[in-house]
């Protein structure tokens, strides 16, 4: 029988110390994410803004986030992970305090715009750091653990934010800013710069990514196809923030009931996420993502028939299972589809899909609901889930081939023997020997039968944001 100690070792053992500093930073940052939980209530009740004005402020936060992920991705590759993340956190902490002290609508709106920009600029740097410090074979476990920390911190923040708001709303902004600073200091001191040197082309400055980086991303059809599928999933997933509370209100349920029902999402993730890596290890990554899309679609689709708190609770538990399958598989796949010298930019573009979904999902959901009805909205979510699942199955092999090619281009060649061979004989041997996959170090693993596996094999790679947060970004 497997002991608790053995399970814990398989789940969290052997990961680099620098990962645990990043993990600690994630947990501290999420424990202080007060403002995100109560911003709409703060703007309408404390500041007296209308619902439309509050929506404008929150929308500007999203616009700033879209700009931040793009700029942050570029700086992550050009300037470095550590300075980008540290500067972004300092700026976000300053703007958090500014937003808390602002009174006029224009000041609040500008503060939200800049806060979104600085806060989201840190996301590509953090994601690139995670990929840099964790070996490929351990990334599935690492991203699952980080996603678990995000949800644990976020769940606790909701409770702590309610207590802090009773004392003083300004306390929400002060504590949130303080946790940002603590996170930045931990990573700046304990993790340091993780960007590795890349091959310098003629005429290229040292440490600079190759020219035409944007063109490389825009012509990477495999990567952009995956980003598009994530956008579809995010449009469905984010309906739980905008349209789900409205649907529950139409069923005669109170906001407190919505809070209790949606809390099931965080509870299930905290309880079960650490078991997911073992569950999906060695399985086809495309199949896992397709299953996740179907499960999320079914969960949101059943909302069309829900009319009581217990029924809504079941739907939340179902789509949460899909979310739990989707997040680690997404994160590891993005890590493998990102060239090392463009890792920050790729992380930024992927995070941008969450920002776009955050702005579009409530508008699109509201339009569908008004024009076609509540049932059409949720059944439409189920249809999108089914389409996304099929697309994952179709595009999966191309993604895995791309991941293999990128890994082969970056892994060092390991000599087969220590025998020294004269140059002519070595050349002849190289010309006649059959081609074999070469691995080294922590990436070494036996080949797998499934070329789309997630077990760390040469064929499929190791077994991703939300929105991010790497983690899908929450």
């Amino acid at each position: 029988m497997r002991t608790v100690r053995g399970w814990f070792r398989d789940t969290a053992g052997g990961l680099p110390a620098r990962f645990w500093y990043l993990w600690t930073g994630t947990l501290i940052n999420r424990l202080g994410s007060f403002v995100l939980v109560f911003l709409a209530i703060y703007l309408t009740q404390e500041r007296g803004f209308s619902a439309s004005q509050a929506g404008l402020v929150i929308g500007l936060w999203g616009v700033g986030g879209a700009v931040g992920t793009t700029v942050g991705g570029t700086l992550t590759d050009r300037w470095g992970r550590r300075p980008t993340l540290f500067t972004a956190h300092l700026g976000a902490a300053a703007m958090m305090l500014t937003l808390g002290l602002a009174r006029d609508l224009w000041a609040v709106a500008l503060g939200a715009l800049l806060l979104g920009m600085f806060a989201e600029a840190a996301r590509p740097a953090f994601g690139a750091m995670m990929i840099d410090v964790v070996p490929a074979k351990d990334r599935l476990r690492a991203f699952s653990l980080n996603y678990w920390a995000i949800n644990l911190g976020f769940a606790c923040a909701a409770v702590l934010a309610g207590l802090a708001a009773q004392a003083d709303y300004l306390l929400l902004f002060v504590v949130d800013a303080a946790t940002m600073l603590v996170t930045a200091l931990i990573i700046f001191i304990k993790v340091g710069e993780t960007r590795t040197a890349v091959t310098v082309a003629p005429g290229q400055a040292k440490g600079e990514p190759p020219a035409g980086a944007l063109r490389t991303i825009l012509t990477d059809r495999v990567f952009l196809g995956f980003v598009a599928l994530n956008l579809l999933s995010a449009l469905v997933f984010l309906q739980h923030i905008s349209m789900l509370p409205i649907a529950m209100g139409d069923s005669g349920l109170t906001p407190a009931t919505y809070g209790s029902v949606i809390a099931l999402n965080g509870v299930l993730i905290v309880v079960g996420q650490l078991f997911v890596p073992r569950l999906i290890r060695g399985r086809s990554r495309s199949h896992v993502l397709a299953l996740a899309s179907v499960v999320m679609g079914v969960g949101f689709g059943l909302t069309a028939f829900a009319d009581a708190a217990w029924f809504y609770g079941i739907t939340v538990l179902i789509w949460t299972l899909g979310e739990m399958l989707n997040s680690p598989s997404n994160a590891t796949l993005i890590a493998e589809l990102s060239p090392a010298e463009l890792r920050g930019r790729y992380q930024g573009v992927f995070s941008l899909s969450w920002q776009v979904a955050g702005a579009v999902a409530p508008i699109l959901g509201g339009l569908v609901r008004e024009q076609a009805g509540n049932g059409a909205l949720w059944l439409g979510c189920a249809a999108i889930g089914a389409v996304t699942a099929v697309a994952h199955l179709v595009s999966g092999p191309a993604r895995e081939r791309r991941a293999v090619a990128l890994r082969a281009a970056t892994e060092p060649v390991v000599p087969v023997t220590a025998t020294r061979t004269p140059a002519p004989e070595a050349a002849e041997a190289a010309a006649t020997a059959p081609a074999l996959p070469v691995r080294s170090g922590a990436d070494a693993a036996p080949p797998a039968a499934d070329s789309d596996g997630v077990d760390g094999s040469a064929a499929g790679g190791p077994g991703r944001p939300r929105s991010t947060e790497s983690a899908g970004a929450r």
Side-chain angles (χ1 to χ4, degrees), residues 2-352:
R2 289 176 54 84
T3 64
V4 174
R5 180 179 298 179
W7 169 83
F8 183 80
R9 182 174 59 252
D10 290 345
T11 303
L15 292 170
R18 291 196 292 178
F19 162 77
W20 289 112
Y21 288 121
L22 290 170
W23 184 90
T24 302
T26 294
L27 182 60
I28 292 174
N29 198 19
R30 290 295 173 172
L31 282 171
S33 58
F34 292 171
V35 173
L36 181 61
V37 179
F38 274 76
L39 183 59
I41 298 176
Y42 166 78
L43 293 174
T44 54
Q45 296 185 5
E46 182 71 8
R47 287 286 165 257
F49 295 149
S50 66
S52 60
Q53 289 173 328
L56 171 64
V57 171
I58 297 173
L60 287 174
W61 183 321
V63 172
V67 175
T69 55
T70 305
V71 175
T74 300
L75 292 177
T76 295
D77 290 331
R78 289 184 174 273
W79 194 19
R81 281 67 156 140
R82 182 169 71 165
T84 299
L85 189 143
F86 191 68
T87 302
H89 273 75
L90 286 180
M95 296 316 303
M96 183 68 72
L97 294 175
T98 301
L99 183 60
L101 296 172
R103 294 295 180 268
D104 296 332
L105 177 60
W106 71 267
V108 172
L110 180 60
L113 176 70
L114 295 177
L115 176 58
M117 185 179 69
F118 279 110
E120 295 303 321
R123 191 181 299 276
F126 187 91
M129 274 185 161
M130 285 279 291
I131 300 171
D132 291 342
V133 304
V134 179
K137 69 182 183 66
D138 293 325
R139 285 177 187 154
L140 176 63
R141 294 189 297 131
F143 282 114
S144 293
L145 286 166
N146 194 65
Y147 190 61
W148 182 80
I150 289 172
N151 283 275
L152 176 62
F154 195 82
C156 294
V159 178
L160 296 175
L163 298 175
Q166 292 179 1
D168 186 359
Y169 271 106
L170 181 59
L171 185 61
L172 299 177
F173 296 88
V174 173
V175 174
D176 208 334
T179 57
M180 288 180 179
L181 291 176
V182 171
T183 300
L185 288 174
I186 290 174
I187 296 175
F188 188 82
I189 296 173
K190 292 297 186 179
V191 179
E193 181 56 65
T194 62
R195 184 182 61 168
T196 57
V198 297
T199 304
V200 179
Q204 177 186 336
K206 185 177 180 180
E208 293 283 329
L214 180 60
R215 189 187 317 117
T216 299
I217 296 176
L218 294 180
T219 56
D220 190 341
R221 291 180 295 177
V222 172
F223 171 73
L224 292 180
F226 183 64
V227 172
L229 292 182
N230 185 73
L231 176 60
L232 289 177
S233 295
L235 288 173
V236 173
F237 176 73
L238 293 179
Q239 297 301 325
H240 80 278
I241 297 176
S242 55
M243 294 298 109
L244 181 58
I246 296 176
M248 292 183 66
D250 289 346
S251 298
L253 302 175
T254 66
T257 303
Y258 165 74
S260 299
V261 169
I262 204 65
L264 294 173
N265 171 259
V267 171
L268 182 57
I269 291 175
V270 170
V271 172
Q273 187 67 42
L274 295 183
F275 297 94
V276 171
R278 184 170 181 81
L279 178 66
I280 65 177
R281 183 183 303 160
R283 301 185 184 277
S284 165
R285 188 156 43 195
S286 297
H287 292 175
V288 171
L289 289 171
L291 177 62
S293 298
V294 170
V295 173
M296 280 199 292
V298 169
F300 281 100
L302 287 175
T303 308
F305 309 101
D307 57 359
W310 66 267
F311 201 153
Y312 282 106
I314 290 176
T315 67
V316 169
L317 291 176
I318 292 174
W319 58 253
T320 298
L321 291 174
E323 178 190 0
M324 292 166 64
L325 294 173
N326 182 77
S327 177
S329 300
N330 245 3
T332 54
L333 189 52
I334 282 297
E336 291 196 46
L337 293 178
S338 307
E341 67 275 11
L342 298 176
R343 193 164 282 164
R345 284 179 171 86
Y346 271 70
Q347 288 286 322
V349 171
F350 183 72
S351 297
L352 187 61

Side-chain angles (χ1 to χ4, degrees), residues 415-421:
V416 176
T417 66
T419 305
R420 303 182 67 178
T421 307

